[in-house]
Amino acid sequence: SVSENKESADDVEFEWMKPQGAKAAQANEPQHHEAPQATPEKAAPAASKEGAHNVAAPQETATNDADAKPASQRYLEPQESAKDAPAKAASDERSTRDSVPNDAPRSTANNEPLPTSMLQVRPPQSEVDRRTSGREEAAALRPVLPRIFQVLLAICYPVVLLVLAIRVVTTPLFLWVEYYRPGFPADSFGFSQDDRLTYGSYTLQYLLNFTGPRFLGDLVGTDHRQLFAPGEVSHMADVKGVFQMAFIVGSILGLIALISIIYLARRRSGAVRRGLFAGSIVTLVIIIALGVLGFMGWDTFFTDFHGIFFKAGTWTFHENDTLIRLFPDQFWMDAGLAIGVIVLLVASLTFAFTWPTRSRREAAARALNPAQGRRVAN
């Protein structure tokens, strides 16, 4: 026991020579007083332990150096650490406060910056101005694709409307109205109104179906003679080709117009109205110009029109030929007038309903952007 007290006193006397880190480690190290474990030497018989119970093992002495310190020395160092803690905390708080801007949000509990405070730091004014000008330029620029669809709608509209009007005229109903209307010239070679309606309906069916020239070439009249001459059948085959091409083009343009309407209705408010308005203007200009030409000289207009689509000499016939008896000049004049009236009426209604009035422009502007009357396209 005397030797243990001497070693403990020596340790205390030379404590000042230890590094400060070792002191702090010893001060912070939890003090556990555990019972010494039994070693093989301690497990020896009791007779051998009685002679050496006052001799301390070197391992136990080295291990229990920290426990051998006086209480005053053990509690001195933690008290010194606790004394320096407020100053260190104040220094850390000042450094943290200096590194965070004044406008950064801080927690209300301990006045510390929030984890997302750096994300809310305002950029320089030059960067803000640059971004603002970029957004304004993007809002002022209109995308190209809606304009393309709007132009396509304006181009397709007159062609589709003209083809639809031609299709209305090429029906048995229009034939019945023509043949039975007052003032229509009768056939001087023996066709009755019923004969005209029957043979004329066969002619329209040939133009609209997919059969060959035999559909007309094999027809016979009441006198059991061939109804149409070979020249007439050949001309009707040419007319059928023109009709089919017109209907195919009209169908394709109608599909494009439908796609344009769907796209513009979803992408830009008022674009469908503007496209139809432009198309109606083009249609009215075309139909009025054609009407003036037809009114000034129907024969010249009819001849020039046939010269565009058919070869010379293939579309002229005698007065006693079946095509002339079924479709005299009055029929073509009435058909042209009916087509012009249908196109003019529909185009005028479209023009009236799509006129850009002030209320419509304001409604379109509010739909684009309630704040500025415009929208940045996606």
Side-chain angles (χ1 to χ4, degrees):
S1 61
V2 175
S3 60
E4 291 179 358
N5 294 333
K6 184 177 181 180
E7 290 177 358
S8 302
D10 294 338
D11 292 339
V12 173
E13 293 176 358
F14 292 97
E15 186 69 21
W16 61 274
M17 297 182 64
K18 293 182 180 181
Q20 294 296 329
K23 289 183 179 182
Q26 291 179 0
N28 296 329
E29 182 180 359
Q31 305 296 329
H32 298 286
H33 299 279
E34 297 180 355
Q37 298 180 357
T39 58
E41 292 79 6
K42 292 182 180 182
S48 61
K49 291 192 294 181
E50 293 177 356
H53 67 277
N54 292 327
V55 180
Q59 292 83 357
E60 296 179 358
T61 303
T63 305
N64 298 327
D65 284 343
D67 297 337
K69 293 181 181 181
S72 60
Q73 184 66 22
R74 286 202 307 268
Y75 293 100
L76 181 60
E77 294 176 359
Q79 291 175 1
E80 292 177 355
S81 300
K83 185 186 300 182
D84 297 338
K88 184 177 181 182
S91 177
D92 294 341
E93 183 180 358
R94 285 194 301 272
S95 61
T96 304
R97 186 169 55 250
D98 294 340
S99 61
V100 179
N102 294 330
D103 57 350
R106 301 174 182 274
S107 62
T108 57
N110 52 4
N111 200 25
E112 294 181 356
L114 294 176
T116 59
S117 60
M118 296 305 296
L119 299 178
Q120 303 182 12
V121 176
R122 183 177 178 84
Q125 186 62 32
S126 59
E127 181 67 17
V128 174
D129 296 339
R130 186 184 66 82
R131 294 178 183 179
T132 304
S133 61
R135 286 194 297 268
E136 292 178 354
E137 292 178 0
L141 293 177
R142 293 184 178 181
V144 179
L145 192 59
R147 293 185 179 183
I148 294 176
F149 277 105
Q150 192 170 336
V151 172
L152 288 176
L153 180 59
I155 294 175
C156 295
Y157 179 81
V159 179
V160 173
L161 183 58
L162 181 61
V163 171
L164 291 176
I166 294 174
R167 183 63 183 88
V168 171
V169 172
T170 56
T171 56
L173 178 61
F174 181 78
L175 289 179
W176 183 87
V177 172
E178 276 294 295
Y179 290 149
Y180 287 94
R181 76 170 180 84
F184 191 80
D187 179 36
S188 58
F189 295 96
F191 279 162
S192 64
Q193 302 290 55
D194 186 63
D195 292 337
R196 277 182 163 179
L197 185 60
T198 301
Y199 300 148
S201 299
Y202 278 120
T203 306
L204 293 182
Q205 290 180 16
Y206 172 71
L207 294 177
L208 301 176
N209 60 27
F210 297 95
T211 59
R214 288 184 56 187
F215 186 87
L216 294 179
D218 294 343
L219 292 177
V220 294
T222 56
D223 55 356
H224 302 287
R225 297 175 59 183
Q226 188 176 1
L227 189 61
F228 294 97
E232 295 175 303
V233 174
S234 177
H235 175 64
M236 291 306 298
D238 296 339
V239 174
K240 183 176 183 176
V242 174
F243 265 68
Q244 289 181 345
M245 183 59 65
F247 291 148
I248 291 174
V249 172
S251 300
I252 295 174
L253 295 182
L255 181 61
I256 295 175
L258 181 60
I259 295 174
S260 302
I261 291 174
I262 295 175
Y263 176 82
L264 293 174
R266 293 182 177 180
R267 293 291 181 179
R268 182 168 298 226
S269 177
V272 176
R273 176 180 55 81
R274 290 190 292 271
L276 293 177
F277 180 74
S280 63
I281 294 177
V282 175
T283 305
L284 290 174
V285 171
I286 293 175
I287 200 66
I288 291 174
L290 293 177
V292 170
L293 293 176
F295 181 79
M296 292 178 61
W298 171 254
D299 293 336
T300 303
F301 176 79
F302 189 77
T303 301
D304 294 339
F305 176 80
H306 279 73
I308 296 174
F309 299 100
F310 310 109
K311 295 180 180 180
T314 60
W315 54 274
T316 56
F317 305 99
H318 299 287
E319 291 183 358
N320 59 347
D321 289 334
T322 303
L323 287 179
I324 301 299
R325 295 168 63 184
L326 293 177
F327 308 108
D329 291 340
Q330 187 64 43
F331 176 86
W332 296 113
M333 291 177 63
D334 294 344
L337 181 62
I339 293 173
V341 169
I342 293 173
V343 174
L344 183 63
L345 179 62
V346 176
S348 299
L349 291 176
T350 305
F351 178 82
F353 284 107
T354 58
W355 179 270
T357 60
R358 181 178 180 180
S359 60
R360 291 172 182 170
R361 292 194 301 268
E362 291 178 354
R366 288 193 301 268
L368 289 173
N369 193 319
Q372 300 177 0
R374 61 187 179 184
R375 177 181 61 188
V376 179
N378 296 330

